[in-house]
Structures are given as structure tokens and as C-alpha cells.
């Protein structure tokens, strides 16, 4: 199976989190597939904002997932056939500062969305995006599979693990009897153009390079399953499509890179990004006390390949090149809608992607 434009054309899709980094890319991709996209999210937090550059929703609603009335109103108006739930408080370090808000958004926000969807009559499938961090991490570096124990040291990871339990409960209690599949996708660490979030590696690299400053790294030896945003979103789209068309589709899948070489350290990714951006590559070790972050994280995506026939198309080198190309085009004043579209179209066509 692969992402099929004929499947998505004309479909009513509710996309939460469309003002965020992955959400903005996904809204644009869905529009190019011909879907009718309704977005629901908080206003974009960053300046610049990818959403503001390339807004591609047919209807954009700004609101808070924690507001059940607002969520129910949007669901009723959108009458979605497919739901892709990306809205979240996604930042680990912020979750340490704002644990109650993180749990309220990631758990109760998801619950309020699912509660509103109980009354939605036209659903074909609901895909809830969580994270690779939902697993109880023993720091051995082994790749986690879907059947591994859930857990979470920091509030972000724990809130996403708790959301997995809530989703499973709602699925069994309300949606399975209607034969509406509700599933969770656990994506890896995503990089790509247009991310300006706080405390994320690639945006920090880009900011330091533009300012001509040395980059501070908190955990240069930490490993993560890096993947390009287009690979991750291709996995989500293929998964949602399979849920809507095949009754044997699993209800939880890891969406991550298949090549172990793509699980690089923070320092390795930093050096590769600096080289791709033509920057000197200076970095220093952050010595101030920091909240705990896991040193090792990897995903086993073999179940997604077995169930969907899905694999990411881009190596880590491709992902880094595309990411650097996007930011370089932005620095040079390019038309970023055209640049973004070219990367999406090239990915879908399986061609060498150029800006």
C-alpha cells in the first residue's frame, strides 16, 4: 500500500494541530491530494510560522483542545470522514515547566476530541499521533516494538503514554461497536524545513548559523531515530488510508526509519546539518543543570512494513539535505509555498527532490 491520491481526493479530513510544524506540512500535502481539510489548533506559536507561510486548510479554526465545546462545534461543522490528530504540547523541556498543562492538552484534549467524535456520523477512521517516547525506556538502546511496556520519565512522555490508554479505552467502548477503527501512530524524531520550535535541535542549529554563533548542545551523545517530515507524514497517510479500507490493519504502529544508520547522535546530526548549511560547525557543551532527557531512543518499524508495506523513502543524508535546502531557500527569499510544494511533489513522485 502507498498513499493514494484517488483515495484522499474529496475526502473530508479533520486535522488537529495544523498550525504546528508537522501539521502545516500535512495540511499542504492533503490539499495537494485533493482532500477537504478542516484544521483545529491553537494559533501558531513561532515567528516565522510555517503555517502562516503555506496555510492550506479549507477551513481553519483556532481554538484549544481543552475546550470541549469548541472541539464539539468544529467536529459537528466538519462532519469528518477521516481524523488525523496531531495537536499536542510536544516539547519535553516545556513539559517539565508546565506539567499540568501538558497532561491537560495531551490526555484530556485527546479525550475531548474522541468524546466529540462519538456523535460524528460519517467516520471512516481516526488516527491519533503520539510519539516514540511512549515506551518505558530502559536506556539500553534497543529498538522498541509496539508490544513493549508503556511508560515515560518526563511529563511529555508520560502524558503521551497515558493518552495511548485513553485512546484504547474509547476505541473499545465506543468506536469498535460502530466498526470505526481508532489507532495510534508512534512517530520518530522528525526534522524538516519550517520548524522554528523552541528547544529543538534543527531550529537551534539554524538560529545559531544565521546569528554566526556557537551552538550549545545539552546531550551531544544522545541517539534518536531521525526521519524527514515527509517520511513520517507518508507513514501517517498510508496508515490512515489502510485503517479506512482494510479491517485487519493494526491499531498501533511505529512510524520510524528502517535503517539503523539513521539513529544518529545529536552531535552527528549537528555536524551533518552544519556541513549541509555551509556553517563552520562550532558547538559547545551546555554545562548548566538540565532536566533529565533519555540518552538512547530507537524504534522498530517492522510491523508497519509487514502490515502496510510501508517504508520511509529517505536516508538520513537525504533528510538532512532536504532540510538544509529548505532553510537555505528561505534565507534567500524564495517562494516557500513553491519550495514546499516541490519537495512534496518530488517525494510523491519518487524523484530526486530539488528546490
Amino acid at each position: 500500500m502507498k498513499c493514494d491520491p484517488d483515495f484522499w481526493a474529496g475526502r473530508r479530513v479533520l486535522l488537529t494541530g495544523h498550525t504546528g510544524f508537522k501539521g502545516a506540512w500535512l495540511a499542504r500535502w492533503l490539499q495537494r491530494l485533493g482532500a477537504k481539510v478542516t484544521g483545529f489548533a491553537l494559533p501558531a506559536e513561532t515567528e516565522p510560522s510555517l503555517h502562516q507561510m503555506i496555510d492550506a486548510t479549507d477551513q481553519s479554526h483556532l481554538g484549544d483542545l481543552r475546550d470541549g465545546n469548541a472541539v464539539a462545534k468544529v467536529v459537528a461543522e466538519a462532519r469528518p470522514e477521516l481524523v488525523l490528530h496531531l495537536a499536542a504540547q510536544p516539547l519535553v523541556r516545556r513539559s517539565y515547566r508546565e506539567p499540568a498543562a501538558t497532561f491537560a492538552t495531551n490526555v484530556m484534549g485527546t479525550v475531548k476530541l474522541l468524546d466529540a467524535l462519538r456523535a460524528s456520523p460519517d467516520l471512516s477512521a481516526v488516527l491519533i499521533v503520539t510519539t516514540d517516547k511512549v515506551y518505558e525506556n530502559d536506556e539500553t538502546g534497543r529498538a522498541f516494538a509496539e508490544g513493549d511496556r508503556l511508560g515515560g520519565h518526563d511529563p511529555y512522555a508520560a502524558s503521551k503514554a497515558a493518552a495511548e490508554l485513553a485512546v484504547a479505552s474509547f476505541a473499545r467502548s465506543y468506536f469498535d461497536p460502530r466498526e470505526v477503527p481508532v489507532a495510534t501512530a508512534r512517530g520518530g524524531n522528525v526534522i524538516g524545513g519550517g520548524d522554528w520550535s523552541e528547544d529543538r535541535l534543527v531550529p537551534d542549529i539554524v538560529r545559531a548559523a544565521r546569528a554566526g554563533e556557537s551552538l550549545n548542545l545539552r546531550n551531544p551523545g544522545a541517539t534518536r531515530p531521525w526521519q524527514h517530515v515527509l517520511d513520517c507524514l507518508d507513514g501517517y497517510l498510508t496508515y490512515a488510508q489502510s485503517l479506512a479500507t482494510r479491517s485487519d490493519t493494526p491499531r498501533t504502529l511505529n512510524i520510524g526509519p528502517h535503517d539503523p544508520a539513521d539513529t544518529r547522535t545529536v552531535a552527528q546530526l549537528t555536524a551533518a546539518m552544519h556541513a549541509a548549511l555551509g556553517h563552520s560547525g562550532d558547538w559547545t557543551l551546555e554545562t548548566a543543570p538540565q532536566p533529565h532527557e533519555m540518552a538512547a531512543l530507537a524504534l522498530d518499524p517492522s510491523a508497519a512494513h509487514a502490515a502496510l508495506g510501508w517504508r520511509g523513502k529517505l536516508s538520513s543524508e537525504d533528510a538532512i539535505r532536504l532540510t538544509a535546502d529548505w532553510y537555505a531557500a528561505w534565507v534567500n527569499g524564495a517562494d516557500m509555498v513553491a519550495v514546499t510544494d516541490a519537495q512534496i511533489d518530488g517525494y510523491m513522485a519518487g524523484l530526486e527532490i530539488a528546490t
Side-chain angles (χ1 to χ4, degrees), residues 177-216:
R178 295 172 52 190
E179 298 184 343
V180 174
V182 177
T184 56
R186 301 166 182 171
N189 278 52
V190 171
I191 64 173
D195 189 2
W196 283 281
S197 301
E198 63 179 274
D199 293 328
R200 280 203 185 134
L201 181 58
V202 167
D204 285 347
I205 291 169
V206 172
R207 284 187 283 261
R210 292 201 72 207
E213 299 174 350
S214 179
L215 176 70
N216 287 333

Side-chain angles (χ1 to χ4, degrees), residues 2-3 17 22 40 44 66 68 92 101 107 123 129 131 139 150 177 179 214 277 298 309 318 344-345:
K2 63 180 180 179
C3 177
K22 284 198 294 186
F40 181 80
R66 296 169 291 185
V92 171
V107 182
L123 288 177
V129 171
T131 177
E139 294 277 34
L150 299 180
E179 298 184 343
S214 179
L277 290 167
D318 291 331
I344 292 171
D345 292 347

Side-chain angles (χ1 to χ4, degrees), residues 291-306:
H292 178 77
E293 296 184 68
M294 293 298 173
L297 183 57
L299 284 179
D300 177 0
S302 58
H305 179 62

Side-chain angles (χ1 to χ4, degrees), residues 1 146 238-239 242-243 246 248-253 301-310:
M1 178 171 286
E146 289 83 352
T238 304
Y239 191 8
S242 182
L243 287 166
R246 292 171 47 189
D248 61 345
T249 304
R251 297 301 191 261
T252 296
L253 287 175
S302 58
H305 179 62
L308 309 177
W310 176 84

Side-chain angles (χ1 to χ4, degrees), residues 227 230-232 234-235 255-258 310-315 347:
Q227 65 182 152
L230 291 174
D231 264 345
C232 183
D234 182 55
I255 304 297
H258 285 75
W310 176 84
R311 284 183 185 271
K313 300 176 183 177
L314 302 174
S315 67
Y347 183 93

Side-chain angles (χ1 to χ4, degrees), residues 273-352:
M273 274 296 300
H274 276 142
L277 290 167
H279 190 243
S280 63
D282 294 339
W283 62 266
T284 58
L285 180 64
E286 177 61 68
T287 57
Q290 301 293 322
H292 178 77
E293 296 184 68
M294 293 298 173
L297 183 57
L299 284 179
D300 177 0
S302 58
H305 179 62
L308 309 177
W310 176 84
R311 284 183 185 271
K313 300 176 183 177
L314 302 174
S315 67
S316 58
E317 289 81 7
D318 291 331
I320 290 164
R321 175 180 58 82
L322 285 174
T323 301
D325 286 351
W326 195 100
Y327 284 109
W330 169 67
V331 168
N332 291 327
D335 178 345
M336 297 316 297
V337 172
V339 171
T340 303
D341 287 349
Q343 292 197 349
I344 292 171
D345 292 347
Y347 183 93
M348 286 195 293
L351 303 174
E352 179 73 15

Side-chain angles (χ1 to χ4, degrees), residues 116-140:
L117 291 171
R118 290 169 56 198
S120 194
D122 302 325
L123 288 177
S124 297
V126 179
L127 183 61
I128 309 293
V129 171
T130 60
T131 177
D132 53 5
K133 298 175 180 64
V134 298
Y135 297 106
E136 185 67 40
N137 194 334
D138 55 9
E139 294 277 34
T140 64

